[in-house]
Amino acid sequence: MEIHEILFWFLTVMALGCGLGVILSRNPISSVLFLIATFFAISGHYILMNAQFLAIVNIIVYAGAIMVLFLFVIMLMNLNADTEPQKNRLIQFAGVLSGGILFLVILAALRTTTSNAADFTSTDIGLMKNLGKVLFTQYVLPFEISSVLFLSAMIGAIVIGKKE
Amino acid sequence: MMLLQLDVAFIIEKLILITVILMGSLGIAMYATWGERKVAAVMQDRRGPSRAGPFGLLQPLADGLKLFMKEEIIPDSSTRGLFILGPCLAMLTALLTSAVIPWGPDYVTEAGRIISLQVADINIGILFIFGVLSIGVYGIMLGGWASNNKFSLLSSIRAAAQAISYELAMGLSLIAVIMMTGTLSLREIVDQQHGFWSDGYFTWNFFKQPVGFMVFLICTFAELNRAPFDLAEAESELNMGFHQEYSSMKLGFYLFAEYINLFVSSVILSTLFFGGYNFPFMDQVQGAVPQFVFVAVCVLVLLTKAICFILFFMFVRWTLPRFRYDQLMKLGWKSLIPIALINMVVTGLVILWTMKK
Amino acid sequence: MQKLTNRSVQVDRSPMTMGEKMYLPAIAKGLGITLSHIFKKKATVNYPEEKRPFSPVFRGLHILNRDEEGREKCTACGLCALACPAEAITMEAAERKPGEEHLYREEKYAAKYEINMLRCIFCGYCEEACPKDAVYLTETLMPASYQRKEFIYKKEDLLIPHPKKTETK
């Protein structure tokens, strides 16, 4: 087994295990920590695919900023088992149903895709220069639209914050 | 696969380099505590540590020994695992940043082998530093939360909010620099600042980006949790902050990580804005002395610059009083981010104008 | 209300000007102040090596005097105890027996003489009250101790060494 494969399997197991940890752990703080570990595993995958820029941005934005805010809010709310509201059966049933349907859809989508095994080394789309070029030429419209989306989200946050 | 083509000599070379850098940063961090106390003393007309060894030079050893000998206390009501993880993360992130810093120019042996004085020359060096920096706040947050103490919790929340707010301005101020250099690799950024004077202007980024430097410097203060932005451990309000429940070496890790961060940030500041290991008339010096001496001089120059920054950080700490929290947020969001944005736009326009010509 | 001094100043609450809002000049000024302090004379005295001179009227630990022949001067008159505002001194008098003339100068002497240093305020009134020049306050600082009883100085602790014999205790 090559070192590359070993790393791949290690990161995959780590990502899946930590992902399970997110939904299975009782304590919301450890959920968040598992999620952060998952992000690290995904960043590791990016690095294996020679996309250092994506990897590091994933860490900066998700692990470094968004998850800190998550942790922040959870710490302030001081969630634990006592404060968790009891859900009635109907809601539990609806949750299971919708989750199952989502799972089914994903499964169906994965079944039909033809997996063309990614050649890890030759692709360098994840490098900063190539990524920038692609984003500002081929995909400039979606890129700009998403930035407008962020702007509106920011304005929305300010409006909510301003409300007395 | 690139990863597999490592030869043994390369690994040994890197291992030695890593060991030297780790030991060096630990040593400098140790003596930074001594320096901090000395600087505080001379500014307050005192003498500072003077008993342990000549000029109190053995004081850091005595302090370290004291921390080792103290009883290890883990509060009953704390979350045990996270309580231990907190200081470890703080230490890890503090030490991790030094991996991408170019400590000196390449040394070419007679056999033609190039020994790089940089642990990893990754093409996204600056982003790596930012990534590690953004992880660094977890050490404080987890430690503060796991202590199960309201002051610690408040402190960790303050630290997190502060770090996130100032990371933005820091990043924006750096974007202007990156736009000028056109690269994210620290090695290339340093190479572009070669010497001191070329083509009728200074080569160092400080002279090209004074505003960016100011914003970056102020944000560094905030990121380091140092006075005047040391709200995370405001003694008068939070009575020790996030490390209130810590004792023994776990406390030592936090305190030590703080000083390692101080050293590494100083090195990063000198690398990004003050030419790294470059110094005036370096070409003449390079021609005059053997290569080994030249590399040593370059490393010493970088260390000197870093120590100047460390002294400056201490100087400011013992001068300015602490900011109030709303003032801190106002400064970050309403002053530094707009300034950094304007600086970015102006830099862009200047680059466009010079490219057109 | 009439002012006592002219030093009080009205606080200026006018909004800051643009220059003041930059903070940087003010910060530079502050840094200048601390910088100037680096070169100022240090206020510290390196204690065990270097001692601050005592004032000539400094009052420290008490002693009980002897005369030239080594006889105790104290006659247990009780004036020092009376003068003491803190009531730190207690004593018990005894009559001098024949054959003890080389020990005590007067016919009456202090069999017990105790000063409670926890009460003593080092005012020196005992010294002033003493008609026989027996009690004096020296320039010695009182040593610290872990126990209260160590602070109650007995006659043996207070007496100066015998001028002729080397060992008196």
Side-chain angles (χ1 to χ4, degrees), chain B residues 218-231:
Chain B
I218 296 170
C219 294
T220 311
F221 274 105
E223 290 289 326
L224 284 173
N225 272 330
R226 272 183 84 78
F229 303 119
D230 58 342
L231 285 115

Side-chain angles (χ1 to χ4, degrees), chain B residues 26-317:
Chain B
L26 287 176
I28 288 183
M30 242 166 103
Y31 275 91
T33 62
W34 173 83
E36 176 106 80
R37 292 169 69 177
K38 272 286 185 201
V39 168
V42 292
M43 284 183 181
Q44 298 166 356
D45 298 344
R46 296 186 285 114
R47 277 175 212 274
S50 61
R51 293 286 146 181
F55 305 105
L57 275 173
L58 298 178
Q59 191 68 41
L61 294 178
D63 286 342
L65 192 68
K66 185 200 79 174
L67 280 173
F68 264 119
M69 306 297 264
K70 291 269 175 179
E71 189 191 350
E72 194 96 25
I73 299 170
I74 297 178
D76 258 352
S77 54
S78 66
T79 315
R80 213 185 144 84
L82 296 183
F83 189 77
I84 296 168
L85 186 67
C88 298
L89 263 183
M91 197 69 173
L92 179 77
T93 50
L95 288 171
L96 213 55
T97 328
S98 53
V100 291
I101 295 167
W103 296 92
D106 288 340
Y107 179 74
V108 185
T109 56
E110 274 142 37
R113 192 183 161 71
I114 298 169
I115 298 176
S116 163
L117 289 185
Q118 184 182 19
V119 176
D121 181 16
I122 50 178
N123 55 11
I124 43 161
I126 294 179
L127 287 180
F128 176 83
I129 290 172
F130 265 85
V132 174
L133 207 67
S134 57
I135 301 303
V137 73
Y138 281 113
I140 294 176
M141 278 196 95
L142 290 181
W145 182 79
S147 307
N148 200 7
N149 172 322
K150 49 178 164 270
F151 290 123
S152 304
L153 180 64
L154 274 177
S155 154
S156 55
I157 284 169
R158 275 186 178 192
Q162 179 179 334
I164 292 178
S165 315
Y166 277 78
E167 238 165 57
L168 280 178
M170 203 174 195
L172 286 176
S173 71
L174 256 189
I175 284 179
V177 176
I178 295 167
M179 278 159 73
M180 295 191 67
T181 56
T183 174
L184 287 172
S185 154
L186 283 170
R187 165 72 68 187
E188 281 174 43
I189 288 176
V190 172
D191 282 343
Q192 285 177 10
Q193 304 178 57
H194 185 82
F196 186 65
W197 184 276
S198 84
D199 299 337
Y201 198 67
F202 303 101
T203 54
W204 292 3
N205 281 336
F206 169 71
F207 300 103
K208 297 174 182 165
Q209 282 289 341
V211 180
F213 170 73
M214 279 311 292
V215 174
F216 192 84
L217 184 69
I218 296 170
C219 294
T220 311
F221 274 105
E223 290 289 326
L224 284 173
N225 272 330
R226 272 183 84 78
F229 303 119
D230 58 342
L231 285 115
E233 46 189 293
E235 299 93 349
S236 47
E237 302 145 36
L238 299 176
N239 120 37
M240 255 295 256
F242 55 91
H243 45 60
Q244 189 175 27
E245 299 285 346
Y246 282 92
S247 63
S248 185
M249 216 43 215
K250 290 207 284 296
L251 173 68
F253 263 35
Y254 269 130
L255 301 180
F256 226 62
E258 205 172 292
Y259 281 97
I260 294 171
N261 273 330
L262 175 67
F263 170 60
V264 172
S265 303
S266 304
V267 173
I268 290 168
L269 270 169
S270 20
T271 304
L272 287 178
F273 289 98
F274 280 83
Y277 50 76
N278 294 305
F279 54 94
F281 308 114
M282 68 188 292
D283 290 328
Q284 287 88 323
V285 174
Q286 189 171 17
V289 296
Q291 198 196 1
F292 178 72
V293 178
F294 174 69
V295 172
V297 167
C298 284
V299 175
L300 277 182
V301 165
L302 178 61
L303 286 182
T304 315
K305 284 174 186 170
I307 286 169
C308 287
F309 269 112
I310 292 178
L311 287 176
F312 178 72
F313 278 118
M314 291 174 178
F315 184 27
V316 170
R317 171 172 177 183

Side-chain angles (χ1 to χ4, degrees), chain B residues 39 41-48 50-51 214 218 312 315-320 323 327 331, chain C residues 23-24 26-27 30-32 34-35 37-50:
Chain B
V39 168
V42 292
M43 284 183 181
Q44 298 166 356
D45 298 344
R46 296 186 285 114
R47 277 175 212 274
S50 61
R51 293 286 146 181
M214 279 311 292
I218 296 170
F312 178 72
F315 184 27
V316 170
R317 171 172 177 183
W318 296 106
T319 302
L320 299 182
F323 273 56
Q327 289 171 334
L331 181 72
Chain C
Y23 290 122
L24 290 178
I27 288 174
L31 290 174
T34 36
L35 198 66
H37 271 268
I38 294 177
F39 307 106
K40 281 198 177 147
K41 195 174 165 289
K42 306 279 169 266
T44 318
V45 176
N46 281 349
Y47 169 61
E49 291 96 49
E50 217 180 286

Side-chain angles (χ1 to χ4, degrees), chain A residues 84-102:
Chain A
E84 201 174 352
Q86 286 297 314
K87 289 153 187 121
N88 61 25
R89 277 288 156 83
L90 197 66
I91 292 177
Q92 281 178 356
F93 182 70
V96 169
L97 197 69
S98 52
I101 288 171
L102 182 67

